Short mmCIF file of all heavy atoms in Angstrom, two decimals:
data_model
loop_
_atom_site.label_atom_id
_atom_site.label_comp_id
_atom_site.label_asym_id
_atom_site.label_seq_id
_atom_site.Cartn_x
_atom_site.Cartn_y
_atom_site.Cartn_z
N LEU A 474 59.88 164.54 -178.56
CA LEU A 474 61.30 164.26 -178.73
C LEU A 474 61.81 163.34 -177.63
O LEU A 474 62.55 162.37 -177.89
CB LEU A 474 62.09 165.57 -178.72
CG LEU A 474 63.62 165.43 -178.74
CD1 LEU A 474 64.08 164.76 -180.03
CD2 LEU A 474 64.29 166.80 -178.57
N MET A 475 61.43 163.61 -176.38
CA MET A 475 61.88 162.80 -175.25
C MET A 475 61.34 161.37 -175.35
O MET A 475 62.04 160.40 -175.02
CB MET A 475 61.46 163.43 -173.92
CG MET A 475 62.08 164.80 -173.65
SD MET A 475 63.88 164.76 -173.51
CE MET A 475 64.07 164.23 -171.82
N LYS A 476 60.10 161.24 -175.81
CA LYS A 476 59.54 159.90 -175.98
C LYS A 476 60.26 159.14 -177.09
O LYS A 476 60.46 157.93 -177.00
CB LYS A 476 58.05 159.99 -176.29
CG LYS A 476 57.21 160.44 -175.10
CD LYS A 476 55.73 160.48 -175.44
CE LYS A 476 54.90 160.88 -174.22
NZ LYS A 476 53.45 160.93 -174.54
N LYS A 477 60.65 159.88 -178.13
CA LYS A 477 61.35 159.23 -179.25
C LYS A 477 62.73 158.72 -178.83
O LYS A 477 63.12 157.60 -179.16
CB LYS A 477 61.51 160.22 -180.40
CG LYS A 477 62.22 159.61 -181.63
CD LYS A 477 62.34 160.61 -182.75
CE LYS A 477 62.98 159.97 -183.97
NZ LYS A 477 64.31 159.41 -183.71
N ILE A 478 63.47 159.54 -178.07
CA ILE A 478 64.82 159.08 -177.69
C ILE A 478 64.73 157.91 -176.70
O ILE A 478 65.62 157.06 -176.65
CB ILE A 478 65.69 160.22 -177.12
CG1 ILE A 478 65.09 160.77 -175.82
CG2 ILE A 478 65.88 161.31 -178.16
CD1 ILE A 478 65.99 161.81 -175.14
N GLN A 479 63.64 157.83 -175.93
CA GLN A 479 63.44 156.67 -175.06
C GLN A 479 63.22 155.41 -175.88
O GLN A 479 63.74 154.34 -175.56
CB GLN A 479 62.26 156.92 -174.12
CG GLN A 479 62.57 157.88 -172.98
CD GLN A 479 61.39 158.07 -172.05
OE1 GLN A 479 60.23 158.06 -172.47
NE2 GLN A 479 61.68 158.24 -170.76
N ALA A 480 62.43 155.55 -176.96
CA ALA A 480 62.19 154.41 -177.85
C ALA A 480 63.48 154.02 -178.56
O ALA A 480 63.79 152.83 -178.73
CB ALA A 480 61.10 154.75 -178.86
N ASP A 481 64.27 155.02 -178.99
CA ASP A 481 65.54 154.73 -179.68
C ASP A 481 66.51 154.01 -178.74
O ASP A 481 67.27 153.14 -179.17
CB ASP A 481 66.16 156.04 -180.17
CG ASP A 481 65.37 156.67 -181.31
OD1 ASP A 481 64.54 155.94 -181.91
OD2 ASP A 481 65.57 157.87 -181.60
N TRP A 482 66.51 154.41 -177.48
CA TRP A 482 67.41 153.78 -176.49
C TRP A 482 67.18 152.27 -176.43
O TRP A 482 68.12 151.48 -176.37
CB TRP A 482 67.17 154.43 -175.13
CG TRP A 482 68.07 153.91 -174.03
CD1 TRP A 482 67.91 152.75 -173.34
CD2 TRP A 482 69.26 154.53 -173.52
NE1 TRP A 482 68.91 152.59 -172.41
CE2 TRP A 482 69.76 153.68 -172.51
CE3 TRP A 482 69.93 155.70 -173.81
CZ2 TRP A 482 70.90 153.99 -171.78
CZ3 TRP A 482 71.07 156.01 -173.09
CH2 TRP A 482 71.55 155.17 -172.10
N LYS A 483 65.89 151.88 -176.43
CA LYS A 483 65.55 150.45 -176.34
C LYS A 483 65.99 149.67 -177.57
O LYS A 483 66.28 148.47 -177.48
CB LYS A 483 64.04 150.29 -176.16
CG LYS A 483 63.52 150.84 -174.83
CD LYS A 483 62.01 150.70 -174.73
CE LYS A 483 61.49 151.27 -173.42
NZ LYS A 483 60.01 151.15 -173.33
N LYS A 484 66.06 150.35 -178.72
CA LYS A 484 66.43 149.67 -179.96
C LYS A 484 67.94 149.45 -180.07
O LYS A 484 68.39 148.56 -180.80
CB LYS A 484 65.94 150.47 -181.16
CG LYS A 484 64.43 150.57 -181.26
CD LYS A 484 64.02 151.48 -182.42
CE LYS A 484 62.51 151.66 -182.47
NZ LYS A 484 62.10 152.59 -183.54
N ILE A 485 68.71 150.25 -179.37
CA ILE A 485 70.18 150.12 -179.42
C ILE A 485 70.59 148.89 -178.61
O ILE A 485 70.06 148.63 -177.54
CB ILE A 485 70.87 151.38 -178.88
CG1 ILE A 485 70.48 152.59 -179.74
CG2 ILE A 485 72.39 151.21 -178.86
CD1 ILE A 485 70.98 153.91 -179.19
N GLY A 486 71.55 148.13 -179.11
CA GLY A 486 71.98 146.89 -178.45
C GLY A 486 72.81 147.12 -177.20
O GLY A 486 72.87 148.24 -176.66
N HIS A 487 73.48 146.04 -176.75
CA HIS A 487 74.25 146.08 -175.51
C HIS A 487 75.46 147.00 -175.62
O HIS A 487 76.02 147.22 -176.70
CB HIS A 487 74.73 144.68 -175.13
CG HIS A 487 73.61 143.75 -174.80
ND1 HIS A 487 72.90 143.82 -173.63
CD2 HIS A 487 73.06 142.71 -175.49
CE1 HIS A 487 71.98 142.88 -173.59
NE2 HIS A 487 72.05 142.20 -174.72
N VAL A 488 75.88 147.49 -174.46
CA VAL A 488 77.11 148.27 -174.33
C VAL A 488 78.04 147.51 -173.39
O VAL A 488 77.60 146.57 -172.72
CB VAL A 488 76.82 149.68 -173.79
CG1 VAL A 488 75.87 150.43 -174.71
CG2 VAL A 488 76.24 149.60 -172.37
N PRO A 489 79.32 147.87 -173.31
CA PRO A 489 80.21 147.18 -172.35
C PRO A 489 79.62 147.18 -170.95
O PRO A 489 79.07 148.18 -170.49
CB PRO A 489 81.50 148.01 -172.42
CG PRO A 489 81.50 148.56 -173.82
CD PRO A 489 80.06 148.84 -174.13
N ARG A 490 79.75 146.05 -170.27
CA ARG A 490 79.11 145.87 -168.97
C ARG A 490 79.53 146.92 -167.96
O ARG A 490 78.72 147.39 -167.16
CB ARG A 490 79.43 144.46 -168.44
CG ARG A 490 78.74 144.14 -167.13
CD ARG A 490 79.00 142.71 -166.72
NE ARG A 490 78.46 141.79 -167.71
CZ ARG A 490 78.56 140.45 -167.60
NH1 ARG A 490 79.19 139.92 -166.58
NH2 ARG A 490 78.05 139.68 -168.53
N ARG A 491 80.80 147.31 -168.00
CA ARG A 491 81.28 148.28 -167.00
C ARG A 491 80.62 149.66 -167.16
O ARG A 491 80.64 150.47 -166.23
CB ARG A 491 82.79 148.40 -167.08
CG ARG A 491 83.31 148.99 -168.38
CD ARG A 491 84.82 149.18 -168.33
NE ARG A 491 85.34 149.74 -169.57
CZ ARG A 491 85.74 149.03 -170.59
NH1 ARG A 491 85.69 147.70 -170.53
NH2 ARG A 491 86.21 149.60 -171.69
N ASP A 492 80.07 149.94 -168.36
CA ASP A 492 79.43 151.24 -168.61
C ASP A 492 77.92 151.19 -168.52
O ASP A 492 77.26 152.24 -168.46
CB ASP A 492 79.82 151.75 -170.01
CG ASP A 492 81.32 151.91 -170.16
OD1 ASP A 492 81.91 152.63 -169.34
OD2 ASP A 492 81.89 151.31 -171.09
N SER A 493 77.36 149.99 -168.54
CA SER A 493 75.92 149.83 -168.69
C SER A 493 75.12 150.56 -167.61
O SER A 493 74.26 151.40 -167.91
CB SER A 493 75.56 148.34 -168.69
OG SER A 493 74.18 148.16 -168.84
N ASP A 494 75.39 150.27 -166.35
CA ASP A 494 74.63 150.87 -165.25
C ASP A 494 74.83 152.38 -165.20
O ASP A 494 73.88 153.15 -164.97
CB ASP A 494 75.04 150.24 -163.92
CG ASP A 494 74.53 148.83 -163.77
OD1 ASP A 494 73.61 148.45 -164.52
OD2 ASP A 494 75.04 148.10 -162.91
#
Side-chain angles (χ1 to χ4, degrees):
L474 174 63
M475 296 297 279
K476 290 182 178 180
K477 181 180 182 302
I478 64 174
Q479 285 182 325
D481 291 343
W482 182 280
K483 294 178 181 179
K484 295 176 184 177
I485 299 173
H487 295 286
V488 300
R490 183 175 298 179
R491 65 175 180 270
D492 301 304
S493 180
D494 288 344

